[in-house]
Amino acid sequence: MTRIPLRYLTVLILLVFIALSSLLAYRFGLNAAANHVETSEARHLKALTQRLQDHAADMLARGEHARLQQTLQSMSEELDVNLAVILGAQGKILVGMDDQRLGEPWESLIPHPLNPALYPDLSIAALLDDTGRVGKVFTSESRNALLAAFTLNQISDTPSLSAQVPSQGLMLIQLNLIPAKAAAQSNVRELVLRFIGYLALLAVLGLIFFHWTVTKRVERLARATRQFAEGDLNTRSGVTGGDELADLGRTFDQMVTRIAETQHTLGERDRRLLRAQRTARIGTWEMHLPERAFYWSDEMSRVLGTAPTERHLNYESFIARIHPDDQEAARQSDRKAMEEGIAGELDYRIIGADGNVRHVHEQTQVIRRPDGQVGTVIGTVQDITERKRAEEAVFNAKERAQVTLDSIGDAVVTTDADGRVDYLNPAAEALTGWPILEARGKRPDEMFQLVNETSGATVRTPLDACLREGRNVGLANHIVMITRDGRTRAIEDSAAPIRDRQGNTIGAVLVFHDVTKPRQMARKLSWQATHDPLTGLFNRFEFERRLQVALKQAHELQAHHALLYMDLDQFKVVNDTCGHVAGDELLKQLAFTLLAKIRDSDTLARLGGDEFGVLLEHCPREKALEIANNLRQTVRQFRFVWQGRVFEVGISIGAVMLESTAEDMTAVLSAADMACFAAKERGRDRIHVYHPDDQELIQRHGEMEAVSRINQALAEHRFRLDVQPIVPVTDQQHPPHQEILLRMLDEEGRVVMPGAFIPAAERFGLMPAVDRWVVHHFFSQFAHVLREDPRHASSSSGTIYAINLSGASLNDEQLPGFVIQQLERYQIPASRICFEITETAAIANLTRAGLFMNELRQRGCRFALDDFGTGLSSFTYLKQLPVDYLKIDGSLVRDIARDPIDRSMVDAIARIGRVMGLHTIAEFVEDDAVLATLAELGVDFAQGYGIARPAPLSQATPLQGPPRQPSGPASSDHSYRNTMARSRVRSRLPNSEV
């Protein structure tokens, strides 16, 4: 019998196995894929038909056949559906995927697309009679189609779409499985091809395995035979089994059994030793004396980082691997072992072949010869680099933790599991007053005491709860610590457990944060937020908050409260005379004095400057006025002494009753402020009670509203400049004059005369802004005239324009610079500008008025002293004011033709003007008789309605001004700078324009 080589037989078997496995896998895969397709598609078709069942019935009931047909068509487009019809109770087709067979019996679907013969279990008639709602899915005999038959209610064979008779129907949907099965077969073929590939791969691996298990065995046996023939007693065949290789191997193994057993025993011992050395990372070296033959093991090579072939070097090459700083110590240890026979151990560093430094631990052992001399020295070298690194990491971590704990500002205390202290950082020593040596072993409760600063009750540390419950525990707020030396420190405390690797609590750490300064700062900030820093009284913010609460009580609980708004009288005298330090001291002393005169339930606050407020809660009107009068008398009797000087001050009080009818806080404070102002205007050092119908306060409120309108007019430029001529009386060679007058326009464009807004502007400090508006806008318009016609630029013969300035503007140190800047900007000839200043304002600000006039006169501007003759010291101060014109007050001019006293006064003023070289201007010239009298007296200029009425500047000609109008009994125009008092005087004159 011919023997087939094993390697070829194996290849043949593998090929047959691959072929059979592929055929079986392909057949089984086709069947499984077909079954899977039928099952999944049947389940999908049934679910789809069930979802469509109710919708189809509803659409048929509503007559939506077209919509149902579209639904069936869309379903056929998405799925492999070749039949989808709705049959009526008589088996006629109601709806289909198209309109071809509508109204025909279902048999018209035979043989295509429906053939009942393909479905043995299908009975259309039985399904039409079935009243159940559960449908069925049928599989064709060829298993290439599925038919879903579901009954429908509310279906009729009536073809009309508008009327349906309730009856039974049937929905048939047929699904073609051929495409799905074709796709599944394609997948099966792909899988079978993959399977064949895997089998081929396994075959290749099998051949490789055969090569290694058979061919290699033969080669190994041949090689072992050759090695044995060469005298290598360590070789063995290693071949087993029942084939010829096994026979030959057993024959070979019998020859070397005893040697193999011995070699196995020695090899096993070597392997165990090697494993032990590798596990412990221990290398060995041997020094044989006296020839000094030196050897080291493979593991020693790995420790040194050298190749195993280098291990049979001499001792000096081994020493060269040791770090230079450690070589001498290693030599001495080895020398004691070699020369004196003394074993030892030593830690040193070695430098590997890669340059890395490693730490090792060496132990030496001495083996003596029979004569007692040292024969061999054996050394073990263990790599302890990782241990050294771990020790260094632990040391560094401990050192970092120690430095961190010593450096942080929080006090840290650690305890053992019994709650006894074992560590305090420096911050904890400083906070508690306990050094660590004295505190170690004590419980925290023995070192300090925790107290609630609000209630004074003793509080336990969170340590016990932390150790007992094993969780982080914190202290409540407002806790203070009483330290060893009795100091009290505000703290925030928390305790956290310390756990071992198993999660057992082995101690706890207490962290104390000293919040004494932050808490003091918080209290200070809280106090500062509600108190005045100078007097210590409540500030305006806190006063308004309490006032808001009082108003709410008055509205909701019908409570009666009172508000006192107080303003010191003559306080400015102290400030101006002795300085603000004295003023501050006065305010502090008065605050202390007033605080003692009110009830404990009342609130006294400094509202700002020298203004105070008192909120009298639950206080009727009579009691409130009694307290207010007591406060007024207290201030009146108060004497302030500063550096030997004694001052008396008073206080004006505005009182407002807070009742259920009181308005909001803003309105109440405004009413109190107005009442206080009324008290000041009535003579100071008195009490004024606010009443809603108080005419004086109503007037002041109107002025305050006028302030808002003035500010809005300034912002929106709703002011208008008018002009009124001032003509020569006798000498027509004088250049013409025109006075610039101001009008305000309301929101609807109507003219508002100066008397309606100038008093409010003067009272509330808006006149400087108004004056600047007049200067700027007149200069800009004048500059436009000069550019259009350069003939008007003459400074000698051109019209002189008079602009009124208020007394408040005289105190504005920046106004001269503003005027000069405007003159330069618009290139206005300064000699064409004359500023009119009232006599009263000039005398009240004599020094400032003189500086103001001199500064602008140096630029060429002119000045007129307005309302001259009404002051008490007109002639006395006239010499000190550098004016060009005297404007005689109209009250002296109007009756000059009939009143000899007025005539004499005007005559005196005209004479003084001529003596001083000043021109005179008469106001209120209302008729020709007055004009003739002025000519007789030598007055230079005249102005009034008898000459021309004011007109808008835009309508006036540059030289002549507004057209002259018929004279009549009318007064001259009041300029915008008139004060409130003067407005009241002129309002009593007939035909006055106020």
Side-chain angles (χ1 to χ4, degrees):
M1 181 177 180
T2 305
R3 298 179 59 184
I4 301 175
L6 185 60
R7 67 182 65 183
Y8 301 131
L9 181 62
T10 303
V11 172
L12 179 62
I13 294 174
L14 286 176
L15 293 175
V16 173
F17 173 75
I18 291 173
L20 292 176
S21 298
S22 300
L23 291 175
L24 291 175
Y26 181 70
R27 184 62 183 171
F28 176 77
L30 290 178
N31 292 335
N35 292 335
H36 175 72
V37 168
E38 292 172 9
T39 303
S40 62
E41 292 297 327
R43 185 165 54 251
H44 183 207
L45 179 61
K46 183 176 182 180
L48 177 64
T49 309
Q50 286 176 342
R51 288 197 302 271
L52 186 61
Q53 187 176 17
D54 292 335
H55 295 293
D58 291 341
M59 286 189 282
L60 287 173
R62 293 193 299 266
E64 299 176 350
H65 288 209
R67 180 182 173 190
L68 180 57
Q69 182 178 358
Q70 293 177 357
T71 302
L72 296 178
Q73 289 175 351
S74 62
M75 179 178 66
S76 65
E77 294 173 358
E78 296 177 0
L79 303 174
D80 294 322
V81 175
N82 56 12
L83 173 65
V85 296
I86 306 296
L87 304 181
Q90 303 301 323
K92 294 182 179 181
I93 300 175
L94 297 181
V95 180
M97 294 188 328
D98 51 43
D99 299 333
Q100 295 180 358
R101 295 181 177 88
L102 294 182
E104 299 179 2
W106 72 270
E107 289 83 357
S108 63
L109 301 174
I110 300 173
H112 181 78
L114 173 64
N115 188 353
L118 298 178
Y119 302 95
D121 299 331
L122 175 64
S123 174
I124 300 298
L127 291 174
L128 288 173
D129 296 335
D130 188 6
T131 60
R133 295 279 290 169
V134 179
K136 296 181 181 179
V137 178
F138 301 91
T139 305
S140 65
E141 287 184 340
S142 63
R143 299 178 66 184
N144 290 330
L146 294 176
L147 178 65
F150 281 74
T151 59
L152 296 176
N153 292 330
Q154 304 297 326
I155 303 301
S156 173
D157 291 344
T158 303
S160 173
L161 299 179
S162 61
Q164 299 293 333
V165 179
S167 61
Q168 187 73 21
L170 184 64
M171 177 170 59
L172 299 177
I173 299 177
Q174 181 171 278
L175 180 65
N176 185 10
L177 297 180
I178 294 177
K181 286 188 175 183
Q185 290 174 359
S186 176
N187 292 337
V188 169
R189 284 192 295 272
E190 183 179 353
L191 292 175
V192 169
L193 290 177
R194 292 182 182 178
F195 179 70
I196 294 173
Y198 293 149
L199 287 179
L201 178 62
L202 290 175
V204 173
L205 294 176
L207 290 175
I208 295 174
F209 176 76
F210 177 80
H211 171 74
W212 284 97
T213 56
V214 177
T215 306
K216 282 293 185 180
R217 288 170 64 202
V218 174
E219 294 176 355
R220 188 163 51 247
L221 181 59
R223 184 170 58 253
T225 303
R226 289 193 301 271
Q227 291 175 350
F228 178 75
E230 295 172 357
D232 185 0
L233 301 179
N234 295 323
T235 186
R236 60 177 59 184
S237 67
V239 179
T240 60
D243 56 359
E244 60 273 16
L245 290 177
D247 294 340
L248 183 59
R250 281 192 293 272
T251 301
F252 179 80
D253 290 341
Q254 289 174 1
M255 293 186 297
V256 296
T257 297
R258 295 183 63 183
I259 299 175
E261 291 177 353
T262 303
Q263 187 69 25
H264 174 74
T265 302
L266 294 176
E268 186 63 27
R269 290 178 180 177
D270 289 341
R271 284 191 294 271
R272 284 199 295 267
L273 178 60
L274 181 61
R275 285 196 297 268
Q277 289 181 345
R278 289 183 177 179
T279 301
R281 298 183 64 86
I282 298 176
T284 59
W285 57 266
E286 296 181 9
M287 172 71 81
H288 298 278
L289 301 175
E291 62 275 12
R292 298 182 67 84
F294 188 80
Y295 306 94
W296 64 50
S297 65
D298 291 346
E299 187 62 26
M300 187 67 186
S301 298
R302 278 188 286 271
V303 172
L304 295 176
T306 60
T309 56
E310 300 179 20
R311 65 180 183 271
H312 299 298
L313 301 177
N314 56 29
Y315 177 72
E316 292 301 327
S317 64
F318 169 70
I319 292 295
R321 298 288 184 178
I322 300 176
H323 195 280
D325 297 340
D326 300 336
Q327 289 182 3
E328 185 61 28
R331 286 182 183 275
Q332 291 181 2
S333 177
D334 295 342
R335 190 180 297 114
K336 288 183 178 180
M338 297 176 188
E339 297 177 359
E340 303 177 14
I342 301 176
E345 56 182 310
L346 177 67
D347 290 346
Y348 54 84
R349 294 164 294 174
I350 60 175
I351 301 176
D354 55 1
N356 293 327
V357 177
R358 307 191 66 82
H359 293 267
V360 297
H361 175 74
E362 180 186 84
Q363 287 183 314
T364 56
Q365 184 178 2
V366 177
I367 300 177
R368 297 181 181 273
R369 297 196 297 266
D371 59 0
Q373 297 296 322
V374 176
T376 304
V377 177
I378 301 176
T380 61
V381 178
Q382 183 179 10
D383 188 349
I384 60 172
T385 303
E386 298 302 324
R387 189 181 76 186
K388 283 287 187 180
R389 290 175 179 173
E391 291 175 354
E392 185 176 359
V394 170
F395 175 80
N396 291 338
K398 182 177 180 181
E399 187 67 17
R400 283 195 298 269
Q402 186 72 35
V403 173
T404 302
L405 290 175
D406 291 347
S407 302
I408 61 176
D410 290 345
V412 180
V413 179
T414 60
T415 70
D416 56 19
D418 296 329
R420 299 192 176 277
V421 174
D422 55 22
Y423 172 76
L424 283 82
N425 71 341
E429 292 181 341
L431 179 64
T432 62
W434 284 86
I436 186 172
L437 295 178
E438 298 182 26
R440 186 173 285 120
K442 293 183 177 293
R443 296 184 60 83
D445 292 339
E446 301 174 8
M447 299 168 54
F448 49 80
Q449 182 181 4
L450 301 181
V451 178
N452 188 302
E453 65 177 347
T454 303
S455 63
T458 301
V459 180
R460 295 185 60 83
T461 66
L463 176 64
D464 294 337
C466 174
L467 292 174
R468 182 175 62 255
E469 302 173 11
R471 62 179 181 87
N472 294 356
V473 180
L475 279 176
N477 294 328
H478 307 294
I479 302 300
V480 297
M481 172 191 288
I482 302 177
T483 63
R484 184 181 188 182
D485 52 5
R487 292 178 296 118
T488 300
R489 309 297 294 175
I491 62 166
E492 292 177 353
D493 183 17
S494 64
I498 302 175
R499 294 185 173 92
D500 58 14
R501 291 185 177 181
Q502 288 72 36
N504 300 319
T505 301
I506 60 174
V509 56
L510 285 169
V511 179
F512 296 96
H513 181 53
D514 189 350
V515 295
T516 303
K517 290 184 178 179
R519 197 169 292 178
Q520 290 174 349
M521 182 62 67
R523 292 195 190 99
K524 183 177 180 181
L525 292 177
S526 177
W527 187 90
Q528 290 177 347
T530 57
H531 288 75
D532 174 50
L534 177 64
T535 62
L537 301 177
F538 289 113
N539 59 13
R540 189 182 192 97
F541 174 80
E542 178 64 14
F543 185 79
E544 290 180 352
R545 187 190 68 80
R546 296 191 178 197
L547 177 58
Q548 193 73 43
V549 174
L551 286 172
K552 185 177 181 182
Q553 292 177 351
H555 293 155
E556 298 178 357
L557 305 178
Q558 307 299 316
H560 295 275
H561 310 301
L563 169 63
L564 303 182
Y565 199 98
M566 306 185 300
D567 194 334
L568 293 181
D569 302 328
Q570 307 303 325
F571 176 73
K572 189 174 184 299
V573 175
V574 178
N575 256 349
D576 294 344
T577 305
C578 302
H580 290 284
V581 176
D584 292 346
E585 181 62 27
L586 171 60
L587 292 176
K588 289 190 286 186
Q589 292 183 17
L590 271 178
F592 180 78
T593 302
L594 293 175
L595 196 60
K597 298 298 181 180
I598 62 175
R599 304 172 302 175
D600 293 339
S601 60
D602 299 334
T603 300
L604 174 62
R606 182 186 178 205
L607 304 183
D610 59 347
E611 298 175 351
F612 296 87
V614 180
L615 179 60
L616 306 175
E617 299 187 36
H618 303 287
C619 185
R621 177 187 178 90
E622 293 76 13
K623 183 62 177 178
L625 295 179
E626 178 185 340
I627 295 175
N629 192 53
N630 188 20
L631 294 174
R632 184 190 64 79
Q633 291 179 355
T634 299
V635 176
R636 187 59 183 169
Q637 296 169 3
F638 177 77
R639 299 292 182 270
F640 177 64
V641 181
W642 182 262
Q643 296 179 352
R645 304 178 65 179
V646 180
F647 295 90
E648 295 182 6
V649 293
I651 193 166
S652 299
I653 302 176
V656 179
M657 301 299 119
L658 306 182
E659 299 174 345
S660 59
T661 58
E663 300 182 32
D664 58 11
M665 182 184 67
T666 302
V668 169
L669 286 173
S670 177
D673 184 27
M674 289 190 295
C676 181
F677 184 82
K680 280 186 172 294
E681 285 199 334
R682 292 187 177 185
R684 305 176 183 271
D685 191 31
R686 62 188 65 239
I687 302 170
H688 188 92
V689 181
Y690 171 79
H691 297 285
D693 55 353
D694 191 328
Q695 293 301 319
E696 185 176 351
L697 296 185
I698 292 175
Q699 180 182 354
R700 174 168 170 80
H701 183 69
E703 292 178 355
M704 295 176 65
E705 291 182 347
V707 170
S708 176
R709 293 196 298 270
I710 294 171
N711 284 322
Q712 188 173 0
L714 284 171
E716 299 175 0
H717 301 289
R718 283 193 287 103
F719 283 106
R720 191 187 77 189
L721 296 179
D722 282 10
V723 63
Q724 186 178 29
I726 302 173
V727 300
V729 177
T730 56
D731 188 358
Q732 298 301 321
Q733 299 301 320
H734 290 301
H737 289 228
Q738 293 188 31
E739 182 177 3
I740 303 300
L741 305 173
L742 182 67
R743 303 290 184 263
M744 185 172 76
L745 303 178
D746 61 13
E747 290 78 359
E748 298 178 0
R750 293 173 300 193
V751 176
V752 180
M753 299 304 293
F757 64 89
I758 289 298
E762 288 184 333
R763 182 186 296 275
F764 294 100
L766 297 179
M767 284 308 301
V770 173
D771 289 343
R772 287 172 179 253
W773 190 95
V774 172
V775 170
H776 169 72
H777 282 78
F778 172 69
F779 282 8
S780 64
Q781 295 184 44
F782 192 20
H784 176 72
V785 172
L786 296 178
R787 286 194 300 269
E788 292 294 328
D789 191 352
R791 294 178 301 168
H792 303 313
S794 173
S795 60
S796 59
S797 60
T799 302
I800 297 176
Y801 294 94
I803 301 175
N804 293 278
L805 293 180
S806 64
S809 294
L810 291 179
N811 292 323
D812 186 358
E813 298 180 356
Q814 306 299 323
L815 184 60
F818 171 77
V819 173
I820 294 172
Q821 185 266 338
Q822 294 293 309
L823 288 171
E824 295 175 349
R825 175 182 177 182
Y826 293 107
Q827 299 295 309
I828 303 298
S831 61
R832 302 279 295 277
I833 304 300
C834 177
F835 290 105
E836 291 189 5
I837 303 173
T838 64
E839 177 191 13
T840 305
I843 294 175
N845 307 275
L846 189 60
T847 303
R848 184 63 209 163
L851 295 174
F852 179 85
M853 293 179 180
N854 288 325
E855 186 171 356
L856 290 182
R857 278 177 62 86
Q858 292 176 2
R859 293 280 179 165
C861 295
R862 310 185 190 200
F863 282 89
L865 197 59
D866 198 6
D867 298 340
F868 190 77
T870 58
L872 299 177
S873 305
S874 300
F875 300 116
T876 303
Y877 291 100
L878 186 58
K879 296 185 295 182
Q880 303 181 35
L881 297 174
V883 298
D884 301 280
Y885 301 93
L886 294 179
K887 202 165 188 180
I888 305 171
D889 189 73
S891 62
L892 303 177
V893 176
R894 178 170 32 196
D895 296 328
I896 191 174
R898 296 176 294 275
D899 191 334
I901 298 177
D902 290 345
R903 178 185 177 97
S904 299
M905 294 182 68
V906 172
D907 183 35
I909 295 173
R911 291 176 181 274
I912 292 175
R914 284 193 294 272
V915 172
M916 300 183 66
L918 305 178
H919 296 291
T920 53
I921 303 173
E923 298 179 312
F924 276 68
V925 179
E926 300 174 353
D927 51 41
D928 294 338
V930 173
L931 186 60
T933 304
L934 294 175
E936 294 177 8
L937 298 178
V939 175
D940 300 309
F941 295 91
Q943 175 185 9
Y945 281 10
I947 299 173
R949 289 178 177 271
L953 180 61
S954 59
Q955 300 176 8
T957 60
L959 293 177
Q960 286 77 22
R964 181 180 176 89
Q965 300 171 357
S967 62
S971 64
S972 62
D973 182 80
H974 292 292
S975 61
Y976 67 89
R977 43 61 181 158
N978 292 334
T979 61
M980 177 72 80
R982 188 175 175 207
S983 297
R984 285 201 289 266
V985 172
R986 293 192 175 181
S987 65
R988 295 194 294 267
L989 298 177
N991 301 319
S992 295
E993 183 180 4
V994 293

